């Protein structure tokens, strides 16, 4: 009750916020201190019992509120820590953090120029720049920042379906033929999730075979398209992946574009993870052909280290997104306003309320320049190659696929001494299945580092190491390997 807008609340408010900032600054400094834990792990029931998290009728004091802030950060995972390798989005960028604080203070919504003038213009400028980097002439087209790659991919499906059957907007799925979409067996689950949400159905997503490196096989794509057409289905979208979640593979976009052109199918590129490589002169060849896509998902909150969340959907054809999604709500999108209405972007979004995600990316881009992002990305790829070279012939390690990784994903098994001489058998596989989960559990209990693991197809659990944190160094890679060996020696 003592804080603004209370009468004379300024002094209390300033000192309260100053205390909060001090707590945050301490956390930021700790995040980069290698002697601190990445995680202070407790089981859910322990955390629930250790503190009182319940909501009460009576207010708490500001001291208690500050304590709540401290406690929350005490158990937060330090995703900015140089030894946190668990997710595709890691790191903690200072300019991005500052931008996030500013965005929260401005506390506005992205639907109209009327209430978010600068943010709306920055979105316009930034999306145009991103489309230019994709290779569309003059950055033409459209786009939007959405709450994450899964939603961006769903937007692509929605727009592709509308492009082919505009009547679906009013009449629904019953009015159109049975649609099918195609994506690789290594693609992100969000393609199926989007099909479920849009009423197309997960059975209508046909998974295309991949080669041993995880890239979609174009001949299999063409075969399955022909097959679907013979059954009377209508192929409406191919989602190619630029940077798969597990292997970091890049689908052959030029060959896929040729097939999409031949059969008149919308080509979407899910570059949520690999899109950042467009910033790098050394690595952007991996996305050759992306300029032929009809739509592209690109998540700056992954490889580019922008604070969560920041995901863009880019669309080559201008105006399509608007026609697909607009509902002409007259209390928001009045047609008789006194400024250029093309800057009211809210009617092309699926959301009504939309968070300002662009400012973090824009401010970081100003602070680093494209060359700064390039250096940061090249460094992460160089670290991945360092890890690969270090373990490819090391005793106790086995690579999941041959050859150096295309992205920063390095996939490998660690074989404890007890498994090293064993013949390939069911027993070996079932014992190997348990190795990574145990090492991961021990990592979390010690709190020293985090790296993810998963099975894939018929392959037993393996580690998927990814690097997207510019704070990581060669020493952190060395540390990870030592730690895996320390924690897995006795298994």
């Amino acid at each position: 009750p003592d804080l603004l807008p209370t009468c004379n609340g300024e002094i209390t408010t300033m000192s309260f916020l100053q205390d909060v900032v001090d707590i945050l600054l301490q956390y930021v400094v700790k995040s980069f201190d290698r002697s601190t834990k990445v995680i202070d792990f407790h089981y859910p029931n322990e955390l629930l019992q250790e503190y009182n998290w319940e909501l009460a009728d009576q207010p708490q004091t500001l001291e208690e509120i500050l304590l709540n802030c401290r406690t929350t950060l005490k158990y937060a995972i330090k995703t900015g820590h140089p030894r946190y390798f668990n997710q595709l989005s890691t790191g903690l960028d200072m300019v991005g953090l500052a931008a996030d604080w500013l965005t929260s203070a401005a506390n506005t919504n992205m639907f109209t120029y009327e209430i978010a003038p600068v943010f709306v213009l920055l979105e316009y400028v930034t999306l145009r720049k991103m489309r230019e980097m994709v290779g569309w002439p003059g950055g033409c087209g459209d786009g939007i920042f959405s709450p994450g790659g899964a939603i961006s991919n769903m937007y692509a499906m929605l727009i592709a379906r509308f492009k082919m059957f505009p009547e679906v907007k009013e009449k629904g799925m019953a009015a159109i033929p049975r649609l099918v979409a195609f994506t690789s067996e290594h693609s992100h689950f969000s393609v199926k999730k989007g099909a479920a949400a849009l009423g197309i159905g997960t059975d209508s997503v046909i998974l295309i075979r991949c080669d041993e490196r995880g890239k979609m096989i174009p001949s299999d794509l063409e075969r399955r398209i022909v097959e679907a057409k013979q059954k009377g289905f209508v192929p409406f979208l191919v989602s190619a992946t630029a940077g798969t979640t597990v292997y970091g593979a890049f689908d052959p976009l030029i060959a896929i574009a040729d097939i999409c052109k031949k059969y008149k199918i919308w080509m979407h590129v899910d570059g949520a993870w690999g899109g950042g490589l467009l910033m790098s002169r050394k690595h952007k060849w991996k996305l050759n052909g992306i300029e032929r896509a009809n739509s592209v998902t690109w998540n700056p909150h992954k490889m580019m280290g922008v604070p969560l969340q920041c995901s863009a959907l880019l669309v080559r054809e201008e105006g399509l997104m608007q026609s697909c999604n607009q509902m002409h709500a007259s209390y928001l999108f009045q047609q008789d306003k006194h400024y250029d209405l093309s800057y009211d972007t809210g009617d092309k979004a699926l959301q009504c309320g939309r968070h300002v995600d662009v400012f973090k990316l824009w401010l970081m881009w100003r602070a680093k320049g494209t060359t700064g992002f390039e250096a940061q990305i090249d460094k992460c790829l160089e670290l991945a190659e360092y890890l690969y070279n270090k373990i490819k012939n090391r005793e106790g390690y086995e690579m999941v696929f041959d050859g150096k990784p295309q992205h920063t994903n390095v996939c490998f098994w660690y074989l404890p001494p007890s498994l090293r001489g064993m013949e390939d058998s069911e027993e070996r596989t079932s014992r190997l299945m348990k190795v990574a989960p145990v090492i991961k559990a021990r990592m979390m209990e010690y709190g020293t580092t985090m790296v993810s693991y998963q099975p894939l197809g018929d392959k037993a659990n393996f580690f998927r190491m990814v690097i997207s944190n510019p704070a990581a160094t060669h020493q952190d890679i060395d540390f990870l390997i030592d730690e895996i060996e320390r924690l897995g020696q006795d298994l």
Side-chain angles (χ1 to χ4, degrees):
D2 312 330
L3 300 177
L4 284 172
T6 294
C7 188
N8 298 330
E10 293 89 336
I11 292 168
T12 322
T13 302
M14 291 315 252
S15 77
F16 169 68
L17 289 179
Q18 198 62 60
D19 288 345
V20 173
V21 168
D22 290 344
I23 292 170
L24 296 178
L25 294 180
Q26 280 163 21
Y27 179 77
V28 167
V29 171
K30 253 194 203 141
S31 282
F32 294 101
D33 177 357
R34 287 174 175 78
S35 68
T36 65
K37 289 180 166 191
V38 173
I39 172 179
D40 182 356
F41 180 77
H42 288 63
Y43 288 96
N45 56 344
E46 295 175 338
L47 262 190
L48 275 173
Q49 284 157 15
E50 202 166 322
Y51 297 92
N52 174 18
W53 305 98
E54 295 307 313
L55 297 164
D57 292 340
Q58 297 308 314
Q60 287 195 308
T61 65
L62 289 180
E63 278 65 43
E64 288 171 309
I65 297 303
L66 289 170
L67 193 60
N68 294 158
C69 292
R70 284 198 185 87
T71 306
T72 303
L73 284 180
K74 175 169 160 56
Y75 299 108
I77 314 300
K78 295 195 193 77
T79 55
H81 196 291
R83 290 175 183 167
Y84 173 80
F85 302 112
N86 208 64
Q87 247 58 44
L88 301 183
S89 45
T90 62
L92 182 55
D93 186 276
M94 295 307 113
V95 174
L97 180 63
D100 226 348
W101 290 352
L102 184 144
T103 303
S104 294
N107 191 31
T108 192
N109 212 318
M110 277 303 285
F111 33 62
T112 58
Y113 179 84
E114 183 177 328
I115 60 165
V118 179
F119 295 134
V120 163
L121 293 179
L122 295 183
E123 187 168 75
Y124 170 79
V125 168
T126 307
L127 288 169
R128 190 181 59 202
K129 178 75 172 173
M130 291 171 85
R131 290 192 298 268
E132 230 170 77
M133 300 192 81
V134 165
W136 295 333
C140 68
D142 211 334
I144 199 155
F145 282 93
S146 89
I151 304 296
S152 292
N153 287 342
M154 189 168 87
Y155 265 120
M157 295 184 103
L158 183 72
I159 296 164
R161 178 177 69 176
F162 176 80
K163 173 73 177 168
M164 196 176 263
F165 295 104
E167 64 272 29
V168 71
K169 183 176 173 181
E170 285 81 20
K171 306 275 186 291
M173 286 297 281
I176 66 172
R178 168 87 188 268
L179 302 178
V180 284
F182 304 84
T183 189
S184 90
E185 55 190 1
H186 281 219
S187 69
H188 194 258
F189 67 85
S190 57
V191 179
K192 281 195 164 183
K193 190 171 269 217
L198 297 176
I200 293 162
T202 56
D203 287 353
S204 301
V205 177
I206 295 171
L207 298 182
I208 306 303
R209 294 217 326 271
C210 290
D211 65 17
E212 64 289 342
R213 293 291 307 262
K215 297 167 181 286
M216 189 195 288
I217 300 172
S219 59
D220 193 53
L221 171 64
E222 184 157 19
R223 186 176 69 80
R224 301 301 297 267
I225 289 172
V226 171
E227 215 172 78
K229 290 178 78 128
Q230 283 164 350
K231 291 182 182 161
F233 302 149
V234 178
F236 82 108
L237 171 124
V238 172
S239 180
T241 313
T244 57
T245 314
V246 180
Y247 281 10
F250 289 80
D251 286 344
L253 302 182
I254 294 173
I256 293 168
D258 289 342
I259 293 169
C260 289
K261 186 180 175 186
K262 180 172 171 184
Y263 295 98
K264 299 187 171 59
I265 305 173
W266 183 281
M267 177 181 171
H268 174 62
V269 175
D270 176 2
W273 174 221
L277 267 53
L278 290 169
M279 306 283 256
S280 162
R281 285 166 293 197
K282 186 175 171 188
H283 295 285
K284 68 176 178 196
W285 62 270
K286 294 166 189 176
L287 296 106
N288 281 351
I290 194 170
E291 70 286 349
R292 294 176 61 189
N294 298 93
S295 56
V296 172
T297 292
W298 175 355
N299 288 8
H301 70 221
K302 293 196 168 89
M303 199 61 214
M304 289 162 66
V306 177
L308 285 160
Q309 59 205 18
C310 186
S311 169
L313 175 79
L314 310 168
V315 183
R316 190 166 62 189
E317 185 182 326
E318 205 178 339
L320 194 56
M321 207 169 191
Q322 185 84 3
S323 329
C324 176
N325 294 327
Q326 69 186 357
M327 289 293 151
H328 304 290
S330 57
Y331 49 83
L332 258 189
F333 308 114
Q334 303 89 338
Q335 293 307 297
D336 47 8
K337 292 182 178 176
H338 63 293
Y339 60 81
D340 178 353
L341 294 175
S342 70
Y343 293 104
D344 284 1
T345 50
D347 218 7
K348 66 183 178 195
L350 276 181
Q351 301 164 260
C352 176
R354 192 159 68 86
H355 187 258
V356 175
D357 291 327
V358 67
F359 191 65
K360 298 171 284 201
L361 171 58
W362 180 83
L363 202 65
M364 281 172 67
W365 209 325
R366 296 281 282 202
K368 290 178 201 292
T370 308
T371 54
F373 275 125
E374 176 179 50
Q376 177 177 315
I377 287 164
D378 286 354
K379 180 192 164 187
C380 290
L381 278 129
E382 190 273 316
L383 282 177
E385 201 172 328
Y386 172 77
L387 169 64
Y388 166 71
N389 288 331
K390 188 174 163 116
I391 63 176
K392 66 178 175 189
N393 300 316
R394 189 181 177 99
E395 195 193 357
Y397 291 84
E398 208 174 290
M399 304 310 297
V400 175
F401 55 83
D402 289 333
K404 75 172 194 186
Q406 282 232 295
H407 206 345
T408 69
N409 309 51
V410 183
C411 299
F412 61 91
W413 287 283
Y414 170 71
L415 304 170
S418 69
L419 284 181
R420 285 176 202 171
M422 268 179 93
E423 291 293 303
D424 202 5
S425 62
E426 264 183 47
E427 198 209 337
R428 182 183 185 270
T429 307
S430 77
R431 284 181 58 184
L432 187 56
M433 201 70 176
K434 300 190 181 95
V435 173
V438 171
I439 293 176
K440 171 71 178 263
R442 291 175 177 179
M443 274 178 185
M444 288 176 71
E445 289 184 350
Y446 279 105
T448 48
T449 184
M450 280 174 80
V451 58
S452 80
Y453 71 83
Q454 67 281 304
L456 189 75
D458 56 356
K459 294 179 164 63
N461 279 322
F462 56 86
F463 286 110
R464 176 207 65 174
M465 170 69 178
V466 280
I467 303 158
S468 60
N469 185 349
T473 63
H474 294 96
Q475 286 80 12
D476 297 312
I477 306 294
D478 297 342
F479 175 85
L480 176 83
I481 294 304
D482 293 344
E483 198 61 356
I484 287 174
E485 290 171 3
R486 178 178 82 89
L487 299 172
Q489 216 43 31
D490 62 330
L491 295 178

